[in-house]
Amino acid sequence: MGAIVALMMTGFAAVGAFKFLTQSDFRKSLLGESIASPVETTFIFALCGCMLLFFWGVFVPTLGTIKVPIMGNRYELWAVAGIASLVGFLIMVLSKWLGTHRSK
């Protein structure tokens, strides 16, 4: 089941990158949204990147063995990305629950 999610997320990222490179309207709307809300856009891109790193780190053994030094300890990349994904998801849920709205 996790492999299917990883493939779907990778497909979404690939289609988005392809549309960004080939369709000027899509590129303009994405860049316009990024300019209008740079922190939110960066957060979403980082969250998607962490989710992809987590899923591919779990299912591809070579990526799963990469170690990341954090405060003197060495952790697997997939574990760090998984924790970052959970924290990002928690931030999204809390911001929705607390009623913070996007500025227009």
Side-chain angles (χ1 to χ4, degrees):
M1 186 69 169
I4 293 171
V5 172
L7 287 174
M8 263 182 17
M9 288 174 47
T10 304
F12 291 149
V15 167
F18 179 76
K19 285 176 74 174
F20 183 82
L21 293 173
T22 59
Q23 296 179 4
S24 64
D25 292 340
F26 181 76
R27 184 171 40 249
K28 285 178 187 174
S29 71
L30 189 61
L31 291 175
E33 178 148 349
S34 177
I35 290 169
S37 180
V39 173
E40 186 176 297
T41 304
T42 304
F43 175 76
I44 293 298
F45 278 129
L47 182 61
C48 291
C50 285
M51 287 180 180
L52 282 172
L53 274 174
F54 171 71
F55 281 113
W56 284 115
V58 169
F59 294 107
V60 178
T62 357
L63 293 175
T65 59
I66 297 173
K67 302 277 186 178
V68 179
I70 298 175
M71 295 185 348
N73 296 323
R74 294 174 58 83
Y75 299 100
E76 286 86 7
L77 179 62
W78 67 268
V80 173
I83 292 170
S85 297
L86 289 175
V87 169
F89 183 72
L90 182 66
I91 290 171
M92 282 178 42
V93 168
L94 286 176
S95 69
K96 189 74 165 176
W97 181 62
L98 293 174
T100 56
H101 298 289
R102 181 178 177 181
S103 62
K104 293 185 183 196

